[in-house]
Amino acid sequence: MSPETILFYVFAFGALVTSGCVVFMRNPLMSALALIVDFFFFAGLYVLLSAHFMAVIQILVYGGAIMVLFMFIIMLLNLKDHELEQVKITSVHQVLAVVAAASFCGMVAFQISGMFDHEAIQKARAEHVQNMKDANDPHLFRPAIQSKVGHLAADFSEDALQKSYHAQLSRIDAGDYTDLDAKFPRDQRVKPKLPPVFKGLDHRGSPLPKLGQSSKATKINFGTAESVSVLLVNRFVIPFELTAILLLAAIVGAVIIAKKRL
Amino acid sequence: MLVPTLEHYLLIAAVIFSIGIFGVLFRRNAITLFMSIELMLNAVNLTFIAFSKYRADLDGHVFSFFIMAVAAAEAAVGLALIIHIFRHFRRVDVDDVSELKF
């Protein structure tokens, strides 16, 4: 059993247990502490999914900012023990809550567990692994987007994932937008432009200084801050700017709601 | 079956999402209710990132980035509401806040 497999089960089990604690603890302070631990387990799962940037953001934003806010409010309200609710079924509405959550869980879990030994998915995976072995030329390497089975890709090892991502980047760089056109058919007129740093150049077009053995000229990797931020200021720049307005509105709204009188 | 694949991540996300649904429907303490919502948002993020890896496509990361921004805004406004509710009722039970119901 590889370390990734063991770590996956540790993180998954931890996430499930702490999620249960969040819901079943009577004291909100205990729930909040369980939720912080839960966010760390989630960050571990993100790292296993090669989402390094998202793992860092998860700990900074969720584990740091949001949970500090929660703790602050819990301490501020300082609820006494008799003011806390009992976590047990006392009304019909709570019975229905149990039924609703259980039936949702059962329905979705049934559908997903059907994927485990689905013939078409296994076949697509085997094909993809074979493709990965065959094509060492990054320009020939077709990523998962071309997969026939409902866009479900093969099982990526870290190496194959980076290879696939680099292949996408080099195709975009070469002016081949077939992957993106397949993904966003309405977007054909707006072609993304990769920043010069991808080619080892600075904004003026002169070569970047090389740092030790690794140079910027090698392609950036999947899931790092660099690759996500390139998307954020390229294709998703308008939602990104709108997020700033959303946060400003939230700040103003929170102040107005929480203030006793304006 | 043992090596984690996409399905394993989806299954965990689904179970945690259901735990979140349970918390939202079952609990009456407004703070715990908000924490259950955060749990649901996190489960969705996990699904996005799992699919993102298995398609070698970074769009999922960007989406969960935006979800985190929305969660931060939601937590700020929601907790301000909780303070307001506490000032009015001297407790944070969501059953008290039923003026707009029906």
Side-chain angles (χ1 to χ4, degrees):
Chain A
M1 215 151 56
S2 68
E4 284 90 359
T5 310
I6 297 167
L7 279 176
F8 169 77
Y9 284 105
V10 170
F11 290 147
F13 183 72
L16 287 177
V17 169
T18 45
S19 306
C21 288
V22 171
V23 174
F24 289 109
M25 285 288 179
R26 185 157 169 263
N27 192 338
L29 190 61
M30 293 296 139
S31 296
L33 290 174
L35 193 55
I36 292 175
V37 179
D38 199 16
F39 287 155
F40 276 86
F41 282 125
F42 267 103
L45 287 175
Y46 293 171
V47 171
L48 289 180
L49 286 168
S50 323
H52 313 292
F53 176 64
M54 294 320 291
V56 173
I57 292 288
Q58 168 87 5
I59 290 173
L60 284 184
V61 174
Y62 267 121
I66 294 182
M67 287 322 290
V68 166
L69 200 61
F70 269 101
M71 296 299 252
F72 183 72
I73 299 297
I74 292 167
M75 304 274 186
L76 188 74
L77 300 187
N78 192 19
L79 296 173
K80 303 287 178 304
D81 193 53
H82 63 88
E83 289 171 319
L84 299 173
E85 59 178 307
Q86 299 290 338
V87 186
K88 55 184 171 193
I89 296 173
T90 50
S91 64
V92 185
H93 142 254
Q94 282 172 319
V95 177
L96 290 178
V98 176
V99 172
S103 51
F104 180 83
C105 185
M107 195 171 68
V108 179
F110 176 74
Q111 288 295 329
I112 293 170
S113 57
M115 284 166 64
F116 273 110
D117 42 8
H118 197 282
E119 212 171 294
I121 292 172
Q122 300 307 333
K123 209 173 137 218
R125 283 195 169 144
E127 257 173 38
H128 196 86
V129 170
Q130 194 55 46
N131 281 348
M132 235 138 42
K133 280 183 190 145
D134 292 348
N136 278 317
D137 182 0
H139 291 278
L140 291 176
F141 187 86
R142 283 288 161 183
I145 295 161
Q146 306 287 324
S147 160
K148 292 280 185 293
V149 188
H151 292 318
L152 249 192
D155 242 328
F156 281 118
S157 62
E158 182 69 25
D159 186 39
L161 177 70
Q162 303 298 356
K163 220 159 94 179
S164 175
Y165 183 62
H166 293 165
Q168 281 179 45
L169 289 184
S170 54
R171 273 200 299 281
I172 291 173
D173 207 20
D176 173 8
Y177 298 109
T178 44
D179 304 337
L180 293 172
D181 289 345
K183 238 173 27 172
F184 306 106
R186 287 163 62 200
D187 208 20
Q188 281 162 355
R189 277 168 300 161
V190 186
K191 303 299 185 195
K193 216 174 132 198
L194 294 185
V197 70
F198 277 44
K199 299 166 199 151
L201 306 172
D202 66 8
H203 59 285
R204 286 190 207 84
S206 43
L208 287 166
K210 293 198 172 178
L211 303 166
Q213 286 299 311
S214 63
S215 72
K216 282 291 216 180
T218 56
K219 299 269 175 40
I220 60 172
N221 279 334
F222 181 89
T224 55
E226 217 172 355
S227 53
V228 177
S229 50
V230 164
L231 270 182
L232 277 179
V233 295
N234 225 320
R235 177 181 288 281
F236 293 98
V237 65
I238 291 171
F240 185 59
E241 295 296 333
L242 289 178
T243 307
I245 298 173
L246 171 77
L247 289 174
L248 179 68
I251 293 169
V252 174
V255 169
I256 288 175
I257 292 171
K259 244 173 124 58
K260 266 193 184 126
R261 69 177 68 154
L262 285 172
Chain B
M1 188 77 187
L2 207 60
V3 177
T5 52
L6 175 63
E7 295 92 303
H8 290 81
Y9 288 100
L10 293 184
L11 203 56
I12 284 170
V15 173
I16 291 177
F17 191 85
S18 318
I19 293 174
I21 289 181
F22 174 78
V24 169
L25 294 177
F26 192 86
R27 298 301 298 262
R28 280 163 299 143
N29 186 318
I31 298 172
T32 319
L33 205 139
F34 261 92
M35 282 192 268
S36 305
I37 293 175
E38 299 292 328
L39 213 56
M40 287 162 75
L41 288 171
N42 259 282
V44 173
N45 273 354
L46 184 63
T47 310
F48 264 122
I49 288 176
F51 269 114
S52 196
K53 176 174 180 182
Y54 283 86
R55 297 188 61 198
D57 183 341
L58 270 175
D59 291 359
H61 290 213
V62 178
F63 266 82
S64 52
F65 180 87
F66 289 132
I67 290 175
M68 281 186 194
V70 171
E74 175 245 315
V77 175
L79 290 171
L81 273 173
I82 288 177
I83 291 185
H84 206 80
I85 291 168
F86 182 76
R87 277 214 198 98
H88 197 268
F89 295 100
R90 305 312 297 174
R91 52 187 213 146
V92 284
D93 198 323
V94 284
D95 287 348
D96 292 340
V97 195
S98 53
E99 287 283 301
L100 287 178
K101 210 169 156 189
F102 305 126

